[in-house]
Amino acid sequence: MCGINGIFAYNHSASVPSEAELIATRDHMFRRGPDGVGVWWSEDRRIGFGHRRLSIQDLSERANQPMSDGTGRYTIVFNGEIYNYPELRRDLESKGYVFLTTSDTEAILHLYALEGEAMVHRLRGMFAIAIWDREARRLFFARDPYGIKPLYIANDGWTVRFASQVKALLAGGQISREPEPAGVVGFYLWGSVPEPFTCYRDIRQLPAGHTQIVDAAGVHPSKAFYSIARVLAGAPRIHGSPTQMEARIKEAALESVRAHLLSDVEVGVFLSAGIDSGALLGLMRDAGQEKIRAITLGFKEFEGTPEDETPLAREIAKLYQAEHVVRSVDRAEFKHDLPLILEAMDQPSIDGVNTWFVSKAANEAGLKVALSGLGGDELLAGYPSFQDVPQWVKYLSVPAAIPGMGALGRAALGLFKQTGISPKLAGMLTYGGTYPGAYLLRRGLFLPFELKTILDPELLSLGLGRLKPLARVAASMQPAPRAAIGRVCALESTNYMRNQLLRDSDWAGMAHSLEIRTPLVDCILLAQVAPTLRSFKQNFGKQALAKAARTPLPAMITKRPKTGFCTPIASWKTESISDKPLSAASFSRAWAESIMEMP
């Protein structure tokens, strides 16, 4: 795990890249990689790579990056972890490749030499990769199927720059800060910036599950090599008893956890009082890990309330014989850390504060790696959206198709505001009749017609035109899975989880030099579980996960109402946003506006 960056002057008329810019970009990412630092230049200095290392696999200096193969033809910078590295190494060694390290980075290099771009199909893990081919004079980019690891690219028509963080690219001093309307509008619509956009016109995110080539002809269009929707749509329906389905989920989850424990340093776990993190802890024990430290956040404001997760988390830790570390956070610490949070937040987000503090706690405990239960709700239908979105489409598709009905609903917006009813109700007849529209209603922060009172009209018009929010959401669900549960799984995984939860985990974890691993966000696991989805009844998937460990989670956990992994941020920030209490929805909107106004 690390921070990577590079500069490639691909146009023969472009100026030779500046070492000062390369180093400034690299060292802005210090917290991503405090264990080692590296730089590499081609002989003609037309391309340079930078690297900041967080040592997880092969802790020796021999595994430092940038790394070149024995021939000097290929040079790589890589951010992430490849969990099937041992199998890949055995296969490559059988073909005559010689390894000088025990790092997964070297396996990627040899695999690229053997298979070229097609090698991405054999990688299981999270990754952002840049490989320079000296003979072909070609730069190759790749990003993992789910988009767990970021890769930002800026192209001015002469030179391409890339890095693990938007702010690192800006720190190099050569990229315009001109705003990207689609990124700004996207943030107000969703509470996070939808890829491939950022808040800056000249910086783009390489889409998840894509590769891209840069050569003398310039930056070529990116190519998709993986699609979550396609996996879900193509999964065969299997028939079996509930017990057989549970066994399939158990086996797949255990195998994924075992793979994600690959490490030369200790692996801990984030532990709440929920099913996902509790099941991961039990599966870590079943996978053979002897020492396990579980990190739980506690808040004084939550003591004695259902939101206080520490008592039940303590019981889970005791059940699986884990060392339980409880870290208390109060209002004063939040206020102290807020400027640091905003500085570390690479792109604006209405979430991520919880991950900041639990990552801080893990770092204080001396951990460099922690498992997170992120992804369980998306994979196993744990969100209300799995019921709400299909029902809205079912009942609103006909009235929503009647001309003028949407406008009539919006005309009532003023009345809704006066009565305190959610403004989203005004959009039900406009958006509720289709999956993309219903999903916007369920997950959206503001609806498009509301932004007229918030954003500059020209910026809003340009941003909506470039973003095309409903078409973008629809594309994330194509090819459309046959079952409603598969469609919502695709929507949640490729929008909310990718653009917000995974991105927040990256910046908040790496701000504390912590690698966050997500065993429930895994392409092999998805392929194994997808055939069971159409057989799910309400809560079946989460209950099956609760039973996955050899010692199942107790009823006090599985029967507990879902509260989410939250912080009392609303009560901490309300006084600076409003002089009266705010509902959760109103607070999220006010917080979003304040985030954009903060320096």
Side-chain angles (χ1 to χ4, degrees), residues 6-56:
I7 309 174
F8 176 28
Y10 60 83
N11 189 301
H12 65 88
S13 298
S15 300
V16 173
S18 160
E19 179 147 1
E21 179 189 355
L22 185 75
I23 299 304
T25 300
R26 183 196 68 184
D27 289 349
H28 186 86
M29 300 183 288
F30 171 79
R31 295 303 304 169
R32 298 185 74 93
D35 296 338
V37 61
V39 65
W40 167 88
W41 287 98
S42 63
E43 293 180 357
D44 61 5
R45 296 187 68 87
R46 302 294 292 178
I47 181 168
F49 287 165
H51 186 264
R52 299 280 337 186
R53 186 182 183 199
L54 182 65
S55 303
I56 305 295

Side-chain angles (χ1 to χ4, degrees), residues 487-544:
R487 296 183 180 192
V488 180
C489 178
L491 289 170
E492 291 285 24
S493 298
T494 56
N495 292 283
Y496 176 57
M497 185 174 77
R498 177 176 296 167
N499 294 322
Q500 186 157 310
L501 299 183
L502 289 174
R503 190 179 298 154
D504 287 342
S505 290
D506 180 77
W507 68 257
M510 294 312 298
H512 298 286
S513 305
L514 182 78
E515 175 177 293
I516 298 176
R517 297 183 177 182
T518 53
L520 301 179
V521 183
D522 179 82
C523 55
I524 302 299
L525 177 66
L526 177 64
Q528 293 169 331
V529 171
T532 72
L533 289 180
R534 279 188 285 170
S535 300
F536 277 15
K537 302 299 181 184
Q538 189 171 3
N539 295 325
F540 176 83
K542 297 300 288 287
Q543 294 301 314

Side-chain angles (χ1 to χ4, degrees), residues 406-565:
L408 182 63
R410 294 195 301 274
L413 180 59
L415 176 62
F416 290 154
K417 285 183 176 179
Q418 293 174 7
T419 58
I421 298 175
S422 171
K424 284 190 177 182
L425 288 176
M428 291 297 288
L429 292 177
T430 300
Y431 300 107
T434 67
Y435 272 88
Y439 185 71
L440 175 61
L441 287 169
R442 192 67 185 82
R443 281 292 181 199
L445 188 61
F446 291 91
L447 295 178
F449 57 80
E450 295 182 86
L451 296 181
K452 295 177 182 179
T453 61
I454 299 173
L455 298 177
D456 173 77
E458 184 178 352
L459 182 145
L460 175 60
S461 176
L462 185 58
L464 287 173
R466 292 165 67 87
L467 181 63
K468 298 180 175 60
L470 292 181
R472 189 168 298 276
V473 173
S476 71
M477 197 182 65
Q478 297 299 324
R482 284 165 286 183
I485 190 171
R487 296 183 180 192
V488 180
C489 178
L491 289 170
E492 291 285 24
S493 298
T494 56
N495 292 283
Y496 176 57
M497 185 174 77
R498 177 176 296 167
N499 294 322
Q500 186 157 310
L501 299 183
L502 289 174
R503 190 179 298 154
D504 287 342
S505 290
D506 180 77
W507 68 257
M510 294 312 298
H512 298 286
S513 305
L514 182 78
E515 175 177 293
I516 298 176
R517 297 183 177 182
T518 53
L520 301 179
V521 183
D522 179 82
C523 55
I524 302 299
L525 177 66
L526 177 64
Q528 293 169 331
V529 171
T532 72
L533 289 180
R534 279 188 285 170
S535 300
F536 277 15
K537 302 299 181 184
Q538 189 171 3
N539 295 325
F540 176 83
K542 297 300 288 287
Q543 294 301 314
L545 182 63
K547 300 175 185 177
R550 190 176 297 121
T551 300
L553 288 170
M556 62 180 177
I557 302 299
T558 61
K559 303 298 183 182
R560 176 176 178 262
K562 184 176 178 62
T563 60
F565 184 26

Side-chain angles (χ1 to χ4, degrees), residues 271 281 285 294 312-325:
L271 181 64
L281 176 54
R285 181 65 70 195
L312 288 177
R314 187 176 297 114
E315 294 301 316
I316 299 173
K318 185 186 301 183
L319 178 68
Y320 297 121
Q321 301 176 326
E323 178 185 339
H324 193 212
V325 179

Side-chain angles (χ1 to χ4, degrees), residues 140-164:
F140 169 76
F141 293 127
R143 187 163 172 240
D144 67 75
Y146 270 94
I148 303 172
K149 290 289 98 183
L151 185 59
Y152 296 101
I153 300 171
N155 173 35
D156 63 8
W158 302 76
T159 299
V160 67
R161 298 167 171 87
F162 68 90
S164 298

